[in-house]
């Protein structure tokens, strides 16, 4: 099973970098061959690709359509603490700016352009400080650990 | 009852915009304003950091046009390391140009497909369920597929020159850190169709034709919407050619008279002032010669085609002549013609990319030059959305002591306010009911400039724009969000 993790956000705006921080951690754990990232699902090995994006955009439709499952990870200003993981569906939205695109729009674009949108989830990690800076706030850093646990449990639940 | 229409962010305001329109009891517009928070925080952030870090630090301002910030900061750093404005090695200058035109190519393709085409194809009153990129795909699938590949091509150019598609490190003070290998060149120049420079140029030319055909059929909308006279400012090459990477500063007024005559941008402070208004976080730049009231100007694709004398590539020059003929050689002051100008620039960028890829200087090995260091440097480029100023001063320890950035969105502050005001007075005034389509026209006016509303941070829960309608007592009558 091919799993694509897309971490979204600007690491120069403190907790907005949560998505990228999650991607970094997954890639470190991949190198270490740690479970559950190295597990097998049935007879198929779990293949995880984790990528950081400052913002989602139209070309990401091409990237996601090749995966069996996509997890978008992003900071949230209002969501539940420490993090939530919910399935999302394709949905087209009006764009006000080229500078942002919603995960649901990326899925809708993949569905229309390439004929398929993979099953997808949104991992929303609560952030608090979005000022200019390069480090996560202490609370956000703790939430990142919870999000990683949530993601690991999710992988173990895949059959 | 007097009413106030507000288009504003749902939560915090960093990187977001807000439009307020005040109506009196007779539904006449009494005031309209467009607010965006400026990026002054970044100017403080880089203070105390070594100047050579600036090109990498400042590009985090934006995930869509980081190359523009990267190169403007690098050009300022070139001056600090003692190079003249034309002091880079041919390999370094051409690699940077290739990076920059790749950036322009991907950004312009994205804007046309993502922001402009839904409004043009479906109209401002169309059902929002259709008036989006998915609606474009359903009606013009080829256009949508091409747009994705056009943007991807531009990003591959950036990857080959900057090392990364986003937040690359290619430009360093005094030059670049890599040249272009023959394999990288050939992949872009002679890749299997459609992913090669010639096909991209052909598609860009067809995008221009698409717009011109739409224009013929919708003259009143395209010509009349948010049209107002203004000054126009941009870099131009010393011979008057369109140039996105380097040149001199030129401004023309609404009649085409030069009001800033090809000046060295190291002297920009002598010519450009920044007015502070109490109601806005963002400053209002103006030409000192004309004063605060009359000196405001547009930047971006429309302004660039109004200031330059010609475009130095054949296909884009042919389209430029058609564009200029439409206004009989006079400046074009029609906001929606920005989309036309943007597509001509897309075509030009494709031609420049191809020509640069054919230049053997890109495989040269002289990457960096340095001379006697200075304490101050100013770098300018034409970013996709307009002129971008970076200005730094350093101390004896190479640390930045002062940074001044004037981004394209700031340069376009007054024009965007004028565009919103045009919609308020021509569409909203006198109406007893505010419809989705009317409010969308406010957004169409803003979208022509594609301001940097939400690029610095965009966490979930932050909508780029929300629309709220209040009565005179402050009660919420209606609310819409994007």
């Amino acid at each position: 099973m091919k799993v694509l993790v897309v971490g979204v956000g600007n690491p120069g705006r403190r907790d907005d970098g949560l998505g990228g921080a999650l991607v970094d951690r997954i890639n470190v754990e991949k190198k270490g061959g740690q479970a559950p990232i190295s597990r097998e699902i049935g007879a198929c090995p779990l293949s995880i690709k984790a990528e950081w994006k400052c913002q989602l955009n139209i070309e990401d439709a091409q990237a996601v359509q090749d995966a069996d499952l996509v997890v978008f990870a992003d900071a949230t200003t209002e969501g539940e603490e420490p993090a939530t993981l919910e399935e999302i569906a394709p949905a087209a939205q009006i764009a006000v700016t080229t500078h942002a695109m919603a995960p649901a729009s990326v899925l809708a674009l993949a569905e229309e352009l390439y004929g398929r949108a993979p099953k997808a989830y949104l991992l929303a990690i609560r952030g608090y400080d979005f000022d200019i800076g390069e480090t996560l706030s202490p609370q956000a850093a703790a939430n990142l650990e919870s999000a990683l646990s949530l993601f690991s449990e999710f992988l173990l639940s895949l059959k | 009852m007097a009413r106030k229409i507000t288009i504003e962010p749902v939560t915090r305001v960093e990187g977001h915009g807000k439009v307020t329109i005040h109506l009196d009891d007779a539904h006449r517009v009494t005031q309209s304003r467009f607010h965006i928070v400026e990026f002054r925080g970044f100017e403080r952030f880089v203070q105390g950091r070594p100047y050579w870090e600036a090109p990498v630090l400042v590009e985090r301002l934006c995930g869509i046009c980081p190359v523009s910030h990267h190169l403007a900061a690098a050009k300022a750093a070139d001056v600090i390391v003692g190079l003249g404005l034309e002091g880079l090695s041919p390999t370094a200058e051409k690699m940077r140009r290739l990076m920059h035109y790749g950036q322009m190519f991907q950004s312009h393709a994205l804007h046309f497909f993502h922001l402009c085409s839904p409004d043009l194809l479906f109209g401002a009153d169309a059902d929002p369920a259709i008036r989006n990129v998915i609606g474009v795909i359903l009606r013009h699938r080829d256009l949508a597929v091409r747009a994705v590949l056009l943007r991807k091509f531009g990003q591959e150019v950036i990857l080959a020159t900057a090392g990364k598609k986003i937040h690359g490190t290619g430009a360093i003070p005094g030059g670049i850190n890599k040249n272009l290998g023959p394999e990288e060149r050939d992949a872009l120049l002679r890749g299997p169709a459609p992913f090669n420079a010639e096909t991209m140029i052909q598609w860009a030319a067809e995008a221009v034709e698409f717009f011109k055909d739409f224009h013929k059929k919708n003259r009143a909308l395209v010509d009349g919407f948010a049209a107002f006279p203004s000054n126009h400012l941009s870099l131009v090459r010393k011979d008057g050619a369109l140039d996105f990477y380097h040149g001199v500063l030129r401004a023309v007024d609404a009649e085409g008279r030069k009001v800033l005559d090809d000046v060295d941008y190291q002297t920009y402070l002598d010519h450009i002032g920044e007015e502070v208004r109490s109601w806005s976080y963002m400053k209002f730049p103006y030409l000192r010669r004309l004063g605060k009231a009359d000196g405001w100007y547009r930047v971006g694709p429309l302004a660039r085609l109004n200031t330059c004398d010609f475009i130095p590539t054949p296909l884009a020059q042919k389209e430029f002549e058609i564009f200029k003929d439409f206004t009989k050689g006079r400046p074009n002051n029609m906001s929606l013609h920005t989309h036309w100008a943007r597509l001509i620039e897309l075509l030009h960028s494709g031609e420049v990319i191809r020509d640069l890829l054919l230049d053997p200087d890109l495989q040269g090995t002289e990457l960096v030059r340095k001379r006697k260091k200075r304490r101050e440097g100013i770098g300018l480029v034409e970013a996709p959305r307009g002129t971008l100023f970076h200005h730094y001063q350093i101390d004896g320890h190479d640390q930045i002591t002062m940074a001044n950035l004037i981004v394209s969105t700031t340069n376009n502050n007054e024009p965007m306010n004028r565009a919103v005001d045009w919609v308020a007075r021509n569409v909203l005034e006198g109406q007893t009911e505010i419809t989705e389509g009317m409010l969308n026209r406010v957004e169409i006016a803003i979208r022509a400039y594609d301001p940097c509303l939400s690029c610095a941070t965009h966490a979930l829960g932050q909508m780029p724009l929300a629309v709220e309608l209040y009565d005179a007592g402050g009660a919420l009558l209606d609310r819409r969000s994007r």
Side-chain angles (χ1 to χ4, degrees), chain B residues 40-312:
Chain B
R40 290 288 158 181
F42 245 90
E43 294 169 337
R44 290 195 302 274
F45 180 60
V46 298
Q47 286 175 19
R49 306 290 287 259
Y51 73 88
W52 61 79
E53 284 186 359
V56 178
L57 287 174
V58 293
E59 64 183 338
R60 289 188 179 182
L61 277 167
C62 184
I64 296 297
C65 43
V67 169
S68 304
H69 288 289
H70 182 58
L71 290 178
K75 287 182 73 179
D78 292 342
V79 178
I80 289 173
V81 298
L83 295 184
L85 295 176
E86 282 83 26
L88 293 179
S89 72
T91 300
E93 192 204 327
K94 289 173 183 175
M95 281 293 288
R96 287 191 188 179
R97 279 189 178 275
L98 183 58
M99 190 193 306
H100 194 41
Y101 281 75
Q103 143 90 358
M104 199 67 84
F105 193 81
Q106 64 86 16
S107 178
H108 279 4
L110 175 67
H111 187 283
F112 179 68
F113 170 64
H114 195 188
L115 281 193
C116 165
S117 65
D119 286 333
L120 295 186
L121 291 171
F122 303 110
D125 294 315
D127 181 352
I130 295 174
R131 200 183 69 239
N132 53 50
V133 289
I134 304 304
V136 175
I137 293 168
L138 294 174
R139 184 176 290 189
H140 290 277
R141 187 176 185 81
D142 286 353
L143 178 70
V145 171
R146 286 182 177 192
V148 173
L149 289 175
L150 285 163
R151 174 163 154 85
K152 187 177 168 66
F153 183 78
Q155 287 189 302
E156 292 300 326
V157 172
I158 294 170
L159 175 65
T161 49
K164 289 194 279 185
K165 290 178 184 172
I166 301 287
H167 299 169
T169 57
I172 56 178
I176 47 160
N177 61 14
K178 76 181 285 285
N179 64 7
L180 191 74
E183 288 179 3
E184 293 170 312
R185 175 198 63 200
D186 293 345
L188 296 166
L189 199 54
R190 303 185 183 90
F195 209 69
N196 55 53
E198 286 298 344
T199 308
M200 295 296 121
I201 292 168
Q202 183 187 331
W203 285 3
E206 288 172 16
V208 179
E209 291 302 322
F210 178 89
F211 184 89
K212 287 194 296 187
D213 182 58
F214 178 85
H215 184 205
K216 274 182 197 163
K217 296 169 183 165
N218 299 274
R219 193 61 60 84
L221 167 70
V222 177
D223 297 348
F225 186 87
F228 52 87
S230 74
N231 303 304
H232 303 270
L233 177 138
S234 80
L235 283 177
V236 295
R237 206 166 71 185
K238 280 185 176 174
D239 62 357
L242 180 70
D243 197 315
F244 302 145
Y245 177 72
H246 191 56
V248 290
L249 263 180
R250 178 185 289 183
V252 299
D253 67 15
E255 302 301 318
R257 293 179 289 257
K258 278 188 189 175
V259 289
L260 193 59
D261 193 0
D262 299 359
V263 302
D264 177 353
Y265 62 69
Q266 296 297 311
T267 65
Y268 82 101
L269 285 175
D270 295 337
H271 307 288
I272 308 286
E274 291 184 88
E275 183 189 3
V276 176
R277 296 181 191 171
S278 60
W279 55 271
S280 177
Y281 288 103
M282 191 160 68
K283 290 183 179 178
F284 289 79
Y286 63 95
L287 296 164
R288 291 187 188 279
R289 179 181 159 189
L290 300 180
K292 292 177 182 175
D294 300 320
W296 59 276
Y297 53 83
R298 282 175 164 126
V299 298
L302 189 67
R304 286 191 285 256
L305 295 204
N306 282 327
T307 54
C308 75
D309 298 326
F310 66 99
I311 298 181

